[in-house]
């Protein structure tokens, strides 16, 4: 380990507000079973960029043996927060709680350069605000529909931009007609459940077709769907980026909004949001007014694939003759433990053939805002995933998170692969509507 100076007074480098738990740190027995699934260890082979190394760095800081200097911080900035290390750990180390606490300590107690601050502020302030994302639609539409984007890309003008701006441009979604969902959509036929829908921020503005498909499928399966217009960002991005105070405020607003709805279940269709709302009990554990409400809310949250797995299928599935490569989103498979349900949902579509992508536990490089703040590592992981998809000869890639859709679309295009990427619920929706897959591209 280089350039990690000793803390002169041997006091913990962490402040007293929720430092990473010593109890969890001590559970790590240094066995290394987590190393082969850690994307950054796979890329660089460096111990300090592995889960075991990062836990050791936390221990050194907690013991006052090191300061949180820039080198120490860099090993946490490169962690994707993908949680692949958690199911791989035989000792049950809850790395998710450790990294969340460490990131909050870093953001409170260590300086960032002016450029970094500006970039993080821009991302977190805009991508958590559906109103601001909505205002970006018109300039983006002009950029895309006038052919300006194609010209800029063809002339290589983006090469003159800083890497992080290049990464942002490469990830721009192709804008489509915006579909809105009603605040209340009645069930088709006899009502089986009354469910709420978390609309997401990026999902609401740039993947509105996914929300619309989710509502149609839920209604067809006998659910009355409540999608409150007043709902705010759930706080997933700030929570994963160590901005604890902002995450707490957004979590409280989300709880308050859904408390008005009297729903049995709150459905999520963006894995990053789903993993975040399930952690509200932990996030608000100290708040006497919200702790119990947060636990109750979190207990109601389910990914769309989990809810549909619980309900006996009622709507008729029409055949879709497609070979589908299924990409597990990390925040679905590792953070929420949801792997079998989306596969079961897709397998229930007549004619659809599933293909497994090798190295399923390894992240595609999306990981919240990781591909915006660590573009080089994200690009390497995206390219690796695209190379694994190529031999599968899939017609479509399906996944369960808007961030993964953007990252995979960008990686596949960069690698000259034309395979489209959809949310898995769009495939089920197309099957229920009896529409061909091409209709999803409009
Ligand atoms: S969260 Fe992901 S990137 Fe971070 S240590 Fe665990 S496996 Fe590695
Ligand atoms: S698998 Fe668990 S116990 Fe083993 S090194 Fe990784 S975090 Fe520590």
């Amino acid at each position: 380990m280089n350039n990690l100076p000793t803390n002169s007074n041997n006091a913990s480098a962490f402040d007293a507000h929720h430092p990473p738990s010593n109890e969890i740190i001590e559970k790590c027995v240094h066995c290394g079973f987590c190393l082969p699934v850690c994307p950054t260890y796979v890329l660089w082979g460096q111990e300090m960029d592995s889960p075991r190394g990062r836990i050791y760095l936390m221990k050194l800081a907690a013991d006052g043996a090191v300061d949180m200097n820039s080198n120490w911080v860099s090993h946490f900035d490169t962690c994707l927060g993908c949680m692949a290390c958690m199911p791989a750990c035989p000792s049950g180390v809850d790395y998710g709680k450790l990294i969340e606490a460490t990131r909050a300590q870093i953001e409170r107690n260590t300086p960032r350069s002016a450029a970094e601050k500006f970039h993080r502020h821009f991302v977190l302030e805009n991508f958590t605000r559906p109103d601001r994302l909505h205002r970006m639609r018109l300039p983006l539409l002009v950029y895309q529909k006038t052919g300006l984007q194609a010209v800029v890309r063809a002339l290589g003008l983006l090469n003159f931009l800083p890497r992080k701006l290049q990464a942002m441009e490469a990830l721009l979604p192709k804008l489509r007609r915006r579909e809105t969902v009603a605040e209340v959509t009645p069930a088709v036929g006899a009502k089986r459940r009354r469910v709420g829908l978390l609309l997401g921020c990026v999902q609401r503005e740039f993947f509105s077709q996914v929300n619309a498909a989710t509502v149609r499928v839920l209604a067809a399966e006998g659910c009355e769907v409540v999608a409150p217009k007043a709902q705010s960002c759930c706080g997933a991005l700030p929570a994963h980026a160590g901005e604890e105070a902002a995450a707490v405020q957004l979590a409280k607003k989300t709880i308050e909004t859904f408390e008005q709805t009297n729903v049995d279940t709150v459905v999520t269709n963006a894995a990053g949001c789903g993993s975040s709302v399930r952690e509200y009990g932990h996030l608000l554990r100290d708040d006497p007014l919200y702790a119990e409400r947060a636990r109750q809310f979190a207990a109601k949250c389910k990914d769309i694939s989990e809810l549909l797995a619980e309900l006996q299928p009622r709507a008729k599935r029409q055949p879709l003759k497609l070979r589908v490569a299924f990409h597990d989103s990390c925040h679905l498979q590792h953070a929420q433990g949801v792997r079998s349900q989306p596969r079961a949902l897709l397998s229930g579509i007549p004619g659809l053939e599933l293909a497994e992508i090798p190295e399923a536990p390894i992240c595609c490089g999306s990981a919240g805002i990781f591909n915006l703040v660590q573009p080089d590592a994200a690009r390497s992981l995206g390219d690796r995933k695209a190379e694994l998809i190529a031999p599968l000869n899939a017609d479509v890639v399906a996944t369960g998170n808007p961030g993964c859709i953007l990252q995979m679309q960008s990686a596949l295009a960069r690698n000259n692969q034309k395979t489209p990427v959809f949310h898995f619920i769009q495939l089920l929706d197309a099957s229920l509507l009896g529409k061909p897959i091409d209709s999803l591209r409009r």
Side-chain angles (χ1 to χ4, degrees):
M1 188 177 37
N2 301 319
N3 306 323
L4 288 171
T6 305
N7 180 330
S8 47
N9 55 16
N10 280 340
S12 169
F14 299 130
D15 67 30
H17 179 68
H18 296 155
S21 156
N22 265 328
E23 204 184 319
I24 303 178
I25 289 174
E26 294 301 336
K27 279 176 101 175
C28 175
V29 296
H30 319 295
C31 64
F33 285 137
C34 52
L35 270 58
V37 295
C38 173
T40 50
Y41 186 77
V42 167
L43 283 183
W44 304 318
Q46 297 293 321
E47 176 69 16
M48 288 308 146
D49 289 310
S50 76
R52 182 174 64 186
R54 291 180 175 118
I55 292 168
Y56 180 62
L57 290 175
M58 291 173 198
K59 181 166 171 50
L60 289 179
D63 292 348
V66 295
D67 291 317
M68 289 192 278
N69 73 350
S70 59
N71 183 35
W72 186 92
V73 169
S74 71
H75 297 292
F76 295 100
D77 281 354
T78 53
C79 171
L80 291 99
C82 66
M83 311 305 163
C85 43
M86 287 177 58
C89 175
S91 303
V93 173
D94 190 341
Y95 182 84
K97 295 214 169 39
L98 292 180
I99 188 66
E100 186 191 305
T102 303
R103 290 220 154 112
Q105 291 280 343
I106 289 171
E107 295 316 316
R108 276 200 302 275
N109 299 314
T110 69
R112 293 210 178 262
S113 70
E116 255 184 305
K117 266 193 213 156
F118 177 79
H119 184 245
R120 286 174 62 88
H121 184 79
F122 175 83
V123 170
L124 291 171
E125 280 298 306
N126 288 296
F127 291 8
T128 57
R129 296 277 301 269
D131 56 334
R132 292 188 179 172
L133 290 171
H134 187 68
R135 286 200 288 274
M136 285 180 198
R137 280 186 67 88
L138 183 61
L140 281 179
L141 271 171
V142 171
Y143 180 55
Q144 293 183 346
K145 300 283 181 203
T146 58
L148 183 60
Q149 181 177 44
V151 173
V152 165
R153 287 183 174 183
L155 293 177
L157 297 180
L158 296 167
N159 297 334
F160 296 103
L161 293 177
R163 281 287 300 124
K164 286 177 182 169
L165 282 182
Q166 287 180 38
M168 211 179 282
E169 202 281 343
L171 289 166
L172 285 178
K174 188 156 184 265
L175 290 192
R176 300 176 199 287
R177 187 174 55 85
R178 190 167 177 275
E179 292 186 58
T180 51
V181 297
E183 280 212 275
V184 180
T185 304
V188 175
K191 182 166 88 176
R192 299 202 275 184
R193 300 271 179 103
R194 177 176 161 88
V195 304
L197 177 63
L198 197 75
L199 294 168
C201 298
V202 170
Q203 187 98 293
R204 197 178 323 183
E205 285 306 324
F206 297 140
F207 293 98
S208 59
Q209 65 277 17
V210 174
N211 282 342
T214 304
V215 170
R216 279 192 295 268
V217 169
L218 284 168
E221 291 294 5
C223 297
E224 180 181 34
V225 187
V226 184
K229 286 216 178 348
Q231 62 184 287
S232 62
C233 167
C234 68
L237 287 186
H240 295 152
E243 301 289 345
E244 185 186 342
V248 162
Q249 288 313 316
L250 292 168
K252 286 181 180 177
K253 273 196 208 163
T254 304
I255 291 167
E256 287 163 10
T257 303
F258 279 93
E259 278 177 346
Q260 315 291 321
T261 59
N262 192 27
V263 294
D264 315 315
T265 304
V266 176
V267 175
T268 55
N269 58 6
C273 304
S275 71
S276 178
V277 293
R278 289 178 124 144
E279 290 296 321
Y280 277 2
H282 180 72
L283 182 68
L284 295 169
R285 63 197 179 282
D286 293 339
D287 191 311
L289 272 182
Y290 283 86
E292 182 50 33
R293 291 157 72 187
R295 271 193 293 275
Q296 286 180 13
F297 177 85
K300 281 185 179 182
C301 293
K302 285 190 169 79
D303 184 69
I304 176 71
S305 64
E306 287 181 282
L307 178 65
L308 292 173
E310 279 175 24
L311 297 169
Q312 198 61 20
R314 194 163 83 179
K316 184 165 169 41
R317 273 81 173 141
Q318 311 285 344
L320 275 186
K321 281 201 78 59
L322 285 178
R323 182 167 162 79
V324 178
F326 184 72
H327 168 62
D328 285 288
S329 153
C330 293
H331 283 102
L332 200 52
Q333 64 167 336
H334 304 312
Q336 299 185 65
V338 175
R339 273 182 58 81
S340 61
Q341 297 89 334
R343 288 175 171 78
L345 179 149
L346 290 171
S347 301
I349 299 175
L352 189 148
E353 182 193 356
L354 267 185
E356 292 291 336
I357 305 173
E359 295 189 0
I362 308 272
C363 182
C364 63
S366 168
I369 62 170
F370 185 85
N371 49 5
L372 299 176
V373 294
Q374 298 285 335
D376 295 328
R379 186 182 169 108
S380 302
L381 290 168
D383 288 346
R384 190 183 177 99
K385 204 56 93 177
E387 281 166 23
L388 292 167
I389 290 172
L392 299 178
N393 294 320
D395 302 304
V396 165
V397 175
T399 188
N401 192 44
C404 301
I405 295 176
L406 292 175
Q407 172 75 356
M408 301 294 294
Q409 279 175 339
S410 166
L412 290 170
R414 196 166 54 244
N415 286 273
N416 299 316
Q417 294 179 43
K418 298 209 178 343
T419 322
V421 188
F422 295 111
H423 193 293
F424 57 76
I425 201 69
Q426 292 179 279
L427 302 185
L428 180 54
D429 181 47
S431 163
L432 297 191
L433 294 172
K435 286 193 171 173
I437 199 71
D438 283 345
S439 67
L440 302 181
R441 297 184 199 233
R442 284 174 214 132

